[in-house]
Amino acid sequence: MLPEAGERDGDPSPPRERRPDAGPGGTGIWRAAGEGPPDGGRTRAVRGLGGFGVLAGVLVALIILPVACTAGVGARDAAGWFQTEPEGLDTGGVPQRSRILAADGSTLATFYYENRVDVRLDQVAPVVRRAVLAIEDSRFYEHGALDSQGTLRALVSNLGSGEVTQGGSGITQQYVKNLLFTQAESEEEQRAAKEVSAARKIRELRYAVALERRLSKDEILARYLNIAYFGGGAYGIEAAARHFFSKPASRLTLPEAALLAGVIRYPYAYDPVRRPAAARARRDVVLGRMAELGWITRAEADAALRRPLGLRVHNTPNGCVTSFAPFFCDYVQREILTNPVFGATRKERERLLKRGGLTIRTTLDRQTQRAAQRAVDRHVPRKNSARKAAAEALVEPGTGEIKGLVVGRRLGSDHVRGKTWINFAADASHGSSIGMQAGSTFKAFTLAAALEDDLPFGTRLMAPRGFVPTGFRDCRGRPVNSATTLRNSADGEGGRTFSLVTGTHHSVNTFFLALEREVGLCETVKMAERLGMRRADGKPMGQFPSFTLGAEQVSPLRLAAAYAAFGARGRYCEPIAIKQITDASGRRLKVPGARCRQAIDKGVADAVNHVLRGVLTKGTARGMGIGRPAAGKTGTVDDFSAAWFAGYTPDLAAAVWVGDPRGGYRYPMTNVCMDGRCYGPVFGATIPAPIWRDSMAGALAGRPATGFHRAPGRYFSKGSGEDLVDLPDVRGMRVREATARLRAAGFQVRVGGGVPSDEYPEGTVAEMTPGPGRAEPGTTVTLRPSEGGGDGEQPGEGPGEEPGSTPEPDPGTGGPPVTLPPLPPGGPRPRPGG
């Protein structure tokens, strides 16, 4: 077997790619004057002539031996060994690039060890096949594994010229050579696959003989076209067509086909981008050879010779850096590299991702991702002067699907301003972040635990100005107290009683410490764990009194998934980013599921939603509504080291963190100026809530709104939980005037039957229930108009009342809840501390 003209000691492909070059191999190659191995290749070729004749003779003899019946027994045994199928012959798939797709099928990123896209032979233009065969192996369909005629002809030509000018390797042998190198795992195997030796040639030829028996000529040609390296990082004809001409291989023209066919011999030396003159000369050699064989006319060749290269180079990105959603992409990549479901070892998982030709369909919604990225960039610019950062995760309730994942940085080296490799939106396992303290967003878990314990909305507890944590026990029953006095966060609250509703709306620290002690520290921690919360570093959450104040370090993604469970009426789903994976052959692989479960009772979740809706209408995030039913909770971390907002609708949940990656306590969120916009102390409602509002509004635009379910009536057994306000006296007013007055004060109105009255003129309000004084906003007030001149009848017995009718039950008496209208301007203002 002749050494290919393309073989040499060096490797012409870029060092990173470490790929061998298939030699031209074709017999009777039409050769332009002066063409030969560039860059010193002529000298190396001459060095190889010493053993050239011996090697060629040996290989030809191996083919002739089986027919030489007069040969000895040893010769027959050797030939038999050569003709048997070798052990370990693996013709499995070669490395192909994997793609990560958004939910709509658009490409987010590609990953590859070798940029390759396998195609069938019928997906390659016929002119491409002819061009490759013309220059590489024109008698491919006529000979077996070894073209002995071509080998001898090349031997005579090479010995006559004193250098290797023609190669003898056919398409099958070149395919074997590339296959063995591609499958090499170690450097030793790679060296063995490239060494210039008789042993390697004999091994390759033996494999080629076996392949010629196992596969058809068309199958071998297709595999060769898919494995050959064309330079520029493109492996296989399809990737090469897309890289150099931005079109599929099925649409390549004659001059384009000839250019790519010529590149195979020396991909680096004939690189059309770096060495266009050499590439064009080589293309013209291919066109001449095609004309010589009669596979194109001379006129077609001449027309093609006049054509410019016509390159339209497209570089296929490798990895997440240039992705539309870089940190979501990075999350998906880490999911595959860390989850044992994709392989027992990291090496296996990396091999699957970069060589497996995977199509990874994800949960990402482009509208949601775009809205979130714009909102984060608007409020916390990536290169802001204060070096603050933001992160947001958006999860679909009831499915756990991650719809968006945003970090207020570009993906890249932390040494470059505005970039980071750390995914602040995810846990350490999926982004290297150790998490951030969650602040008052954790109060929602204490609220849920209290409601699960059937504490009604009107439950009131004293919230002192300072709270010394005593009386707490962990899940083992051990005391976990502290002598440190805990206070409210710069909000001035405390020193009075609050209900479950008002304590939440105002985010009163000492109230929630008292509530946590009331329902149990263990129950509060377990509630958070049932809703999927865990520390970002993977360790179990601690059990200590300040748990309800959000002292644990968590990720926005975990928090968003927990709040999504409230929106899904207590159904918790693990956050997932991958919906489906298929390999290069179309086979579906197993992917981790969301493992959805009913974490809390539906009625408890409905009650949580009822309370947290008020945060957006009358609490710490008042004014941050999105024009549809929504709920949420602010979070301000101790000493303003960070700020949060977590909120949701039944259709989407999101959690936003804003802080300083250099350390929140060292660089707090106080007196912050970012690109001309300055803030004093930053609370959850200052920056995170507006980011959430803008993200949610953009993500849900054009989608129908879904409402929450009403909270069970048992939670109204002690009233609505709202603070008492003045109930104006409307007796003596006309019914219409009285109704308007009461509604303006935040009350519901029902008009009952008339009553006789000597005190109030007919048509005016004679009675109101409840009467003037203090009442909860939203209370239904029943008005009874006067019928004039009384005759001593008792209220409710007059002729104007329908028989058997009763006033609409007040929520405070256990009747069905009513919808509370928004408070008029001038109502309670949002307080800091949440």
Side-chain angles (χ1 to χ4, degrees), residues 326-332 334-335 390-394 402 404-407 421-436 534-538 553-560 575 577 644 655 657:
F327 290 93
F328 176 85
C329 170
D330 184 66
Y331 183 94
V332 173
R334 291 172 187 259
E335 172 68 15
E392 181 174 19
L394 302 99
I402 303 171
L405 205 64
V406 170
V407 172
W421 289 119
I422 300 175
N423 189 344
F424 297 116
D427 289 348
S429 61
H430 289 73
S432 304
S433 172
I434 61 172
M436 295 75 70
R534 63 170 182 247
R535 284 174 42 161
D537 61 9
Q553 294 182 310
V554 300
S555 68
L557 179 58
R558 283 281 159 195
L559 193 62
W644 290 74
W657 162 84

Side-chain angles (χ1 to χ4, degrees), residues 263-483:
V263 162
I264 296 175
R265 180 179 182 185
Y266 287 106
Y268 184 73
Y270 297 132
D271 187 329
V273 176
R274 293 186 176 93
R275 302 184 177 183
R280 180 163 187 164
R282 179 64 177 167
R283 179 201 69 176
D284 295 349
V285 169
V286 177
L287 291 170
R289 176 60 177 159
M290 294 177 74
E292 178 184 315
L293 291 170
W295 292 359
I296 60 174
T297 65
R298 176 51 62 183
E300 289 173 324
D302 290 342
L305 288 169
R306 292 191 295 269
R307 299 285 299 174
L309 295 183
L311 299 178
R312 292 183 59 195
V313 177
H314 170 74
N315 293 310
T316 301
N318 188 4
C320 296
V321 172
T322 60
S323 173
F324 165 75
F327 290 93
F328 176 85
C329 170
D330 184 66
Y331 183 94
V332 173
Q333 177 186 11
R334 291 172 187 259
E335 172 68 15
I336 293 175
L337 294 179
T338 59
N339 198 317
V341 75
F342 297 112
T345 66
R346 183 179 178 89
K347 184 176 181 181
E348 289 180 20
R349 297 189 288 267
E350 185 171 2
R351 180 184 178 89
L352 175 68
L353 176 63
K354 295 186 177 180
R355 299 167 69 100
L358 305 181
T359 299
I360 305 164
R361 299 185 181 276
T362 72
T363 59
L364 184 116
D365 178 75
R366 294 184 73 92
Q367 177 178 332
T368 300
Q369 177 72 16
R370 184 181 296 107
Q373 189 70 67
R374 288 176 176 173
V376 167
D377 290 346
R378 181 183 306 119
H379 294 280
V380 186
R382 297 178 185 180
K383 294 184 180 181
N384 66 82
S385 54
R387 300 178 67 179
K388 305 304 181 186
E392 181 174 19
L394 302 99
V395 176
E396 183 176 68
T399 68
E401 293 186 3
I402 303 171
K403 295 300 182 180
L405 205 64
V406 170
V407 172
R409 292 284 191 273
R410 295 192 183 278
L411 186 63
S413 172
D414 297 81
H415 298 296
V416 180
R417 182 183 173 190
K419 293 185 177 182
T420 184
W421 289 119
I422 300 175
N423 189 344
F424 297 116
D427 289 348
S429 61
H430 289 73
S432 304
S433 172
I434 61 172
M436 295 75 70
Q437 289 184 329
S440 296
T441 59
F442 260 44
K443 292 173 181 174
F445 305 128
T446 310
L447 172 66
L451 294 170
E452 187 173 65
D453 205 26
D454 277 340
L455 296 185
F457 295 141
T459 300
R460 292 183 178 272
L461 297 173
M462 180 64 184
R465 296 189 180 278
F467 188 98
V468 179
T470 58
F472 290 85
R473 293 184 179 273
D474 64 15
C475 291
R476 294 184 180 182
R478 298 173 302 187
V480 283
N481 301 315
S482 171

Side-chain angles (χ1 to χ4, degrees), residues 117-126 129 237-238 248-251:
V117 181
D118 264 8
V119 290
R120 302 185 309 272
L121 193 60
D122 62 5
Q123 293 176 299
V124 180
R129 292 176 251 163
I237 188 63
E238 181 69 13
S250 60
R251 292 173 46 203

